[in-house]
């Protein structure tokens, strides 16, 4: 069985490079600046494409998915 590495996410990546921190800030503020919707979508799409190329995870700036538990207590 091949173990795939866990995808990285911005909020769980303590060593995010300054460039990725700047992209996260731009992505978050883009919707608050009053630009045209299509321009904002183009910016967010480009940032997400870069994040996928840099980290292998397109949802890098999105919140990580919730952890599913099996209901069994771990020992």
């Amino acid at each position: 069985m091949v173990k795939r590495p866990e995808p990285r996410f911005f909020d769980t990546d303590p060593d995010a490079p300054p460039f990725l921190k700047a992209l996260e800030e731009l992505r978050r503020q883009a919707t608050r600046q009053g630009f045209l919707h299509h321009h904002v979508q183009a910016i967010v799409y480009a940032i997400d494409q870069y994040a996928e190329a840099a980290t292998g995870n397109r949802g890098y700036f999105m919140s990580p998915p919730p952890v599913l538990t099996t209901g069994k207590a771990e020992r």
Side-chain angles (χ1 to χ4, degrees):
M1 186 163 113
V2 176
K3 175 84 170 160
R4 293 178 18 188
E6 290 290 322
R8 295 183 334 189
F9 291 95
F10 181 76
D11 59 348
T12 59
D13 190 0
D15 299 325
F19 186 70
L20 285 178
K21 290 178 184 179
L23 284 179
E24 189 274 333
E25 182 73 16
L26 173 65
R27 191 179 191 281
R28 204 167 25 86
Q29 289 184 356
T31 57
R32 300 183 184 140
Q33 298 299 323
F35 296 119
L36 292 174
H37 177 72
H38 296 292
H39 294 161
V40 171
Q41 290 301 312
I43 291 168
V44 169
Y45 183 74
I47 290 171
D48 288 347
Q49 279 188 322
Y50 176 81
E52 182 177 24
T55 67
N57 181 12
R58 187 170 188 82
Y60 179 75
F61 292 117
M62 306 300 284
S63 298
V67 177
L68 299 177
T69 60
T70 59
K72 297 177 183 177
E74 293 184 27
R75 295 178 189 216

